[in-house]
Amino acid sequence: MDWILAIPALPTLSFALLLVMSRQVRMRMLWLPVASIFGSLILSIVAFAQVWPGGSEEAIWHAGWEFAELAGKPVDLSVALDPVAAVMLLVVTIVGAAVQVYSLGYMHREEREGWYFAVLSLFTAAMLMLVLSDSLLLTFMMWEMMGLCSYLLIGFWFENEGPRKASQKAFLTTRVGDLGFLIALFAIWGVVGSFSYEEVLHTVGDWPAAVAAVAGFGLLWAAMGKSAQVPLQVWLPDAMAGPTPASALIHAATMVAAGVYVVARMLPVLMVTPWIMQTTLVVGLTTALLGGLLAAVQHDVKKVLAYSTISQLGLMFVALGAANAEVALFHLTTHAFFKSLLFLGAGVIIHAAHTQDMRFMGGLRRHMPITTVTFTIGSLALAAVFPLSGFFSKDEIVATLLHEHHYVSAGVVLLASLVTAFYVARMLFRVFTGPEQTKHLSEGHMSMLAPMSVLAFITLVLGFASPTFANFLGGHGVWPDPFVAAISMTSAGAGLALGWWFYGRRSAVVNTAIWKRRLGYAYDALAQKLYFDAVYDHVFIRPFMLGATLLAVFDMRRLDGFVNLVAATWVRICTISWRVDVTAIDGVVNGVASAAKGTGSWMRGLQNGVIQRYQRLVLGAVIVLVLVVFMVKGV
Amino acid sequence: MRVGLEAFLLLSAVLFSIGVYGAVSKRSAVQVIMSLELISIAVMVNMVAFARFVTPDRGTGWAFTLFAMVVSAAEVGVGLALVLAIYRRRHTAELPELDELKG
Amino acid sequence: MPNTVDGIAFAILAISMVGGALGMVSSRNIVHAALWLLEVSVAAAGLYYLLDADFIALVQLLVYAGAVVVLTVFTVMITLRRREDAVRPVDFSWPALLLALALGGILLAAAANFPKKTISMPDAMPSIVRFGELLFTARGYALAFEIASVLLTVALLAAVWWSREVED
């Protein structure tokens, strides 16, 4: 079964090969990363078939290497294949392959296209390894590797100010979260002495309560950073400065889902401490609602999708907070497909309309039929409309909450899904209907539409696998309860209707200014991203800058004074030494120099080009050598 | 009067020295090559004498003399051709004037 | 008889060789020098005959007297524009003499110290037949002989290449 290692190894290999190539060669070798991801995809399907029909959490394959030794205990990096990993492998490779094929068209003739594909391959490899990982340390390594790739791809157009700042912001914000991961690692090593998932999860009941709380909260905090949960959500909307397909893969389908994935794996650790579970639930609910509200006021189509991603990830956290990992993972899976579909569609739309601002779009439906259909499928799945996949996964979340008697939470989720349906309708109507505002609209290239169609097909049918999915992961799969389904459909329908009333009515000139005025402060707050960035600016960044300035002043006044004193003393010493220099040392130096000059001009005579002079030298040397030998040997 | 190996060695030493003197002192490239031939004759005299006095039954010395002749004949041929080529280009075969190696 | 080298014959040949060599390096006329070289070569052939190396003596005559000297004279003729150019200024050089004397001293010292004081020649002598076998069989020097022939061919080609007419 060791061939499973080839799944992450293939993209790694293609990254390594691309890395050593020159830019021109890379441009001609783009088939390499695409071929490697398809190789991984095929192997993932085989791996999935091996695990099928699943039903237990036991791993069917294990491998490990000793990475280091810490205080006499081996630190293992190990991998394992269990049903969860198999599903995630499929998700990552399918979305990855779709994104890479799409990128062939989207990034065409981009100057650093080869580098883009190389980083994409590295990212895919890291995510696949994270999914297979059976050791928290390996997970953390891959976690950081993905952070690096995310940084590189957000800052892909580093010539511009925006992407550069966004990449730094993303990296630093997720770093704040990673601190939690590190603390959790320390705590777990302290009590367990191993990073293996199995050992950690088996011994978790025996841990001291404080350690369990620290580890649990550390992991939750790390996941909140990676999955852009309130209050660490600020980096994800800015991350949209990167190439759109990269956003589809990293900031919609896979990397941001890694937080949810790790928490789902480590859920028993969090469950030891009740307040951490409550925190998870509250964070998820807040994020789901706020993300949706923020998405509703964005004009940039990619930002709408970014906030919607935040909101959907919040829903997954809600499921985790309700202690139902299978539901969270199912929503993760469906979301990965329809959100990457939406991002890819957004890429096509942006290419066609030459803008990201929805206010300057409109009427795309008539010119881009395939994009319209696939994008609408993705959007309706996001709005949780029956029978698309998003409906099933969101319905399960609501059902779980009702089952656990979290009625308030269920209400918030329904409200969030109403808001979601509203901004989905707003986006659809603004982009695809209404008067055309751009000339020369044309459909995207085949290499971009084909992956979108595949993802749209998966979005259409995946929902019906809902009970099978839960059974496969070892849970109890059930079909949606008609009562719950009716409630959630009502909220989605209400949201869509509201959106239609604002943006879709034929009579309505899209003018929401009057509503914005009526809502006053509420709208302003949303437009200002609920002041998160402003608060961080005032609370963290400005004091930091102020501190830096104060240190600089101290530096100049105090430290520099000392340095200047030292310098002045040094100058005095140097003046004395200069006198010594001129009289004594220069004499010697000049003497050496003229001696060298004399030797040089004498030596120059040897190089006069007359062959017989050389011959004489050689002969003389031979004679001297022979005489030396005679003397040594005594003739 | 009978002479032995030493007489041949002495003769070849004298010839060799004379050849070296010519090779080092002569300005004409042709004369230098002739002096080199003198040196190789001295060597061959040595070899034939050794072959006769030390290893008379094997003929190894003869064979080496033959090869030495081949080499020196080749050397003369190429050397003189080079002199000719230099003469054609520079219109001189005087070694002190051929100082392009001057550094 | 031929167990020793006749002293008189050796003396005549040795004196003519040393004299010819001295004549060669001291002669002002370059054509004369070439003729002195011819004389030394022939004397050397005589010396080989004295040492029972008939075949080598023959080859010496053919190669040196027949080929090398003729080639030398030929080159001298080509590189002389006027007949008077054959007469060259005396180019005596003290450093060269010193070097030659030093080298000669060393060689003489080495020869005089040769450990084996051999006067008489051993009887055993390879016949020309055995020498032929030595030279042309695979157990002998056949390979070296072939390499020598390749060397001669290359030298021939090089000589032809370098001595061709060039226009510049």
Side-chain angles (χ1 to χ4, degrees):
Chain A
M1 286 288 280
D2 281 349
W3 51 266
I4 286 171
L5 282 174
I7 297 174
L10 280 174
T12 314
L13 192 69
S14 86
F15 167 75
L17 289 175
L18 286 172
L19 190 67
V20 297
M21 291 175 187
S22 73
R23 191 179 285 180
Q24 286 76 19
V25 178
R26 266 187 216 147
M27 292 290 274
R28 276 180 273 117
M29 297 294 282
L30 294 182
W31 56 269
L32 184 69
V34 179
S36 72
I37 184 76
F38 272 99
S40 297
L41 172 59
I42 291 164
L43 288 177
S44 303
I45 292 170
V46 178
F48 187 80
Q50 298 268 337
V51 179
W52 186 264
S56 82
E57 288 173 10
E58 290 303 308
I60 64 159
W61 168 74
H62 235 286
W65 314 267
E66 191 178 315
F67 168 69
E69 209 181 76
L70 208 61
K73 283 181 274 188
V75 183
D76 282 330
L77 296 184
S78 51
V79 290
L81 182 70
D82 57 8
V84 179
V87 168
M88 289 300 289
L89 281 180
L90 266 186
V91 172
V92 174
T93 48
I94 290 174
V95 176
V99 165
Q100 293 221 0
V101 171
Y102 178 92
S103 299
L104 284 178
Y106 189 85
M107 300 298 282
H108 188 53
R109 272 182 283 189
E110 188 66 45
E111 194 188 351
R112 275 175 281 112
E113 194 183 359
W115 174 241
Y116 167 82
F117 272 93
V119 178
L120 216 54
S121 289
L122 181 63
F123 170 81
T124 315
M127 183 74 198
L128 290 171
M129 201 67 191
L130 178 124
V131 164
L132 283 174
S133 162
D134 191 38
S135 144
L136 273 172
L137 188 64
L138 184 61
T139 307
F140 182 65
M141 287 175 176
M142 294 304 126
W143 180 275
E144 291 297 331
M145 184 87 85
M146 292 195 302
L148 169 71
C149 294
S150 160
Y151 167 78
L152 290 174
L153 285 171
I154 296 169
F156 181 71
W157 288 299
F158 55 75
E159 306 90 345
N160 304 333
E161 175 86 21
R164 212 163 52 227
K165 287 213 155 168
S167 63
Q168 286 165 6
K169 189 175 179 182
F171 197 73
L172 292 176
T173 313
T174 44
R175 218 82 256 291
V176 172
D178 296 345
L179 201 62
F181 207 130
L182 269 179
I183 291 170
L185 281 185
F186 297 151
I188 288 170
W189 180 264
V191 288
V192 185
S194 164
F195 287 130
S196 150
Y197 279 10
E198 203 184 345
E199 284 189 51
V200 170
L201 295 180
H202 277 178
T203 58
V204 71
D206 311 330
W207 294 3
V211 174
V214 167
F217 189 74
L219 287 171
L220 176 65
W221 182 250
M224 282 160 64
K226 208 68 162 177
S227 295
Q229 298 297 296
V230 174
L232 296 179
Q233 90 286 18
V234 289
W235 65 272
L236 189 58
D238 289 23
M240 295 301 126
T244 308
S247 306
L249 179 62
I250 297 181
H251 306 123
T254 50
M255 186 187 84
V256 287
V260 176
Y261 173 79
V262 168
V263 171
R265 284 259 184 200
M266 288 284 128
L267 205 52
V269 177
L270 275 71
M271 280 162 76
V272 173
T273 323
W275 65 264
I276 290 183
M277 290 304 277
Q278 282 152 18
T279 310
T280 314
L281 192 64
V282 170
V283 165
L285 288 170
T286 318
T287 312
L289 191 58
L290 290 188
L293 287 172
L294 286 165
V297 298
Q298 297 298 318
H299 297 299
D300 182 333
V301 64
K302 279 185 78 179
K303 291 238 164 123
V304 173
L305 293 177
Y307 278 111
S308 122
T309 305
I310 292 174
S311 155
Q312 297 298 310
L313 290 166
L315 286 181
M316 297 174 211
F317 269 74
V318 171
L320 292 173
N324 198 332
E326 286 92 28
V327 169
L329 287 172
F330 187 52
H331 194 57
L332 189 163
T333 308
T334 58
H335 173 258
F337 289 118
F338 67 69
K339 188 53 66 69
S340 54
L341 165 65
L342 284 174
F343 266 105
L344 297 186
V348 175
I349 291 165
I350 292 165
H351 258 198
H354 301 295
T355 176
Q356 304 198 359
D357 196 325
M358 292 194 299
R359 284 170 296 188
F360 303 112
M361 296 176 186
L364 267 58
R365 156 175 63 112
R366 281 182 287 281
H367 299 276
M368 310 170 72
I370 300 176
T371 309
T372 309
V373 169
T374 49
F375 197 85
T376 308
I377 289 172
S379 304
L380 294 180
L382 174 58
V385 172
F386 183 83
L388 300 164
S389 60
F391 163 77
F392 288 92
S393 52
K394 202 179 278 182
D395 186 78
E396 279 187 25
I397 294 173
V398 177
T400 305
L401 289 173
L402 291 176
H403 182 258
E404 304 278 329
H405 306 293
H406 293 302
Y407 296 115
V408 180
S409 306
V412 175
V413 168
L414 288 173
L415 187 60
S417 68
L418 186 144
V419 174
T420 306
F422 171 74
Y423 70 70
V424 161
R426 172 175 178 263
M427 181 168 67
L428 282 177
F429 288 126
R430 282 224 133 153
V431 173
F432 292 107
T433 64
E436 290 169 36
Q437 303 198 32
T438 324
K439 292 192 174 72
H440 311 300
L441 287 168
S442 64
E443 184 62 287
H445 188 259
M446 206 32 226
S447 63
M448 292 149 83
L449 296 179
M452 284 164 59
S453 308
V454 172
L455 292 175
F457 175 74
I458 294 173
T459 304
L460 273 176
V461 299
L462 187 62
F464 297 101
S466 154
T468 323
F469 187 92
N471 288 333
F472 181 72
L473 295 188
H476 291 288
V478 284
W479 288 103
D481 180 20
F483 168 67
V484 179
I487 298 176
S488 59
M489 271 307 282
T490 311
S491 77
L496 287 173
L498 199 61
W500 174 81
W501 192 78
F502 269 104
Y503 298 98
R505 281 180 301 160
R506 199 154 291 265
S507 60
V509 179
V510 178
N511 183 359
T512 46
I514 182 166
W515 288 98
K516 285 174 190 166
R517 219 173 313 122
R518 272 187 214 166
L519 287 171
Y521 287 117
Y523 182 81
D524 281 349
L526 287 175
Q528 292 298 318
K529 299 187 256 182
L530 288 175
Y531 309 114
F532 270 105
D533 280 317
V535 168
Y536 288 167
D537 194 44
H538 281 283
V539 176
F540 297 115
I541 297 169
R542 292 238 180 118
F544 189 79
M545 291 296 188
L546 187 68
T549 316
L550 284 175
L551 277 175
V553 169
F554 175 76
D555 213 19
M556 276 188 284
R557 299 248 173 92
R558 297 284 170 270
L559 293 181
D560 281 15
F562 177 69
V563 171
N564 287 343
L565 182 69
V566 171
T569 317
W570 189 244
V571 167
R572 244 161 255 147
I573 295 170
C574 286
T575 317
I576 297 164
S577 127
W578 175 69
R579 287 186 198 290
V580 178
D581 219 17
V582 168
T583 48
I585 297 176
D586 276 15
V588 176
V589 171
N590 289 342
V592 170
S594 60
K597 206 173 156 191
T599 318
S601 54
W602 178 71
M603 292 288 280
R604 201 165 156 268
L606 297 180
Q607 303 267 334
N608 63 353
V610 180
I611 195 84
Q612 279 163 317
R613 192 73 71 86
Y614 299 164
Q615 211 178 357
R616 282 173 203 174
L617 277 175
V618 171
L619 261 178
V622 168
I623 289 166
V624 169
L625 265 178
V626 172
L627 286 176
V628 167
V629 171
F630 275 9
M631 267 185 255
V632 172
K633 293 233 175 186
V635 186
Chain B
M1 189 177 115
R2 302 277 178 250
V3 291
L5 181 57
E6 291 78 21
F8 287 90
L9 296 185
L10 289 176
L11 172 63
S12 110
V14 170
L15 284 176
F16 193 94
S17 306
I18 296 171
V20 165
Y21 171 78
V24 176
S25 69
K26 291 295 168 189
R27 288 156 188 264
S28 157
V30 179
Q31 272 187 301
V32 169
I33 288 176
M34 294 198 304
S35 303
L36 292 179
E37 288 311 300
L38 199 59
I39 291 175
S40 77
I41 285 174
V43 171
M44 286 185 291
V45 166
N46 234 355
M47 280 201 282
V48 175
F50 272 119
R52 184 71 189 90
F53 284 101
V54 182
T55 60
D57 50 341
R58 268 179 277 166
T60 317
W62 292 2
F64 272 91
T65 312
L66 215 56
F67 292 133
M69 270 185 199
V70 167
V71 170
S72 71
E75 167 204 324
V76 167
V78 176
L80 289 178
L82 282 172
V83 170
L84 221 54
I86 290 168
Y87 181 78
R88 287 218 173 102
R89 274 159 225 257
R90 306 282 305 267
H91 301 293
T92 181
E94 300 292 300
L95 288 178
E97 289 171 33
L98 303 172
D99 58 354
E100 280 170 18
L101 281 174
K102 188 170 186 157
Chain C
M1 144 5 223
N3 280 353
T4 55
V5 174
D6 183 34
I8 296 164
F10 176 80
I12 293 169
L13 287 171
I15 288 168
S16 60
M17 279 182 88
V18 174
L22 287 173
M24 193 192 94
V25 292
S26 61
S27 142
R28 287 176 62 198
N29 190 319
I30 196 163
V31 180
H32 294 178
L35 294 177
W36 280 123
L37 180 63
L38 176 65
E39 194 260 359
V40 173
S41 303
V42 173
L47 215 53
Y48 300 161
Y49 185 75
L50 213 59
L51 287 168
D52 300 318
D54 315 15
F55 178 68
I56 302 292
L58 205 65
V59 175
Q60 168 81 6
L61 279 179
L62 281 174
V63 171
Y64 274 83
V68 170
V69 175
V70 170
L71 202 58
T72 313
V73 172
F74 194 58
T75 314
V76 168
M77 293 304 175
I78 289 178
T79 55
L80 291 181
R81 267 168 291 185
R82 296 185 310 272
R83 191 182 170 76
E84 300 79 58
D85 283 352
V87 182
R88 304 177 46 78
V90 180
D91 38 12
F92 179 76
S93 132
W94 277 108
L97 184 64
L98 279 175
L99 277 172
L101 284 178
L103 201 64
I106 287 171
L107 287 174
L108 288 175
N113 280 296
F114 193 71
K116 230 175 174 179
K117 304 280 182 193
T118 339
I119 296 288
S120 63
M121 294 188 286
D123 265 335
M125 276 291 300
S127 66
I128 193 71
V129 178
R130 270 206 58 200
F131 184 55
E133 282 170 356
L134 180 71
L135 214 50
F136 298 118
T137 54
R139 275 185 302 160
Y141 293 96
L143 182 65
F145 192 85
E146 292 305 325
I147 293 173
S149 66
V150 171
L151 174 72
L152 277 176
T153 314
V154 172
L156 178 72
L157 286 173
V160 171
W161 166 259
W162 279 112
S163 56
R164 78 198 191 282
E165 284 291 338
V166 285
E167 62 282 348
D168 53 355

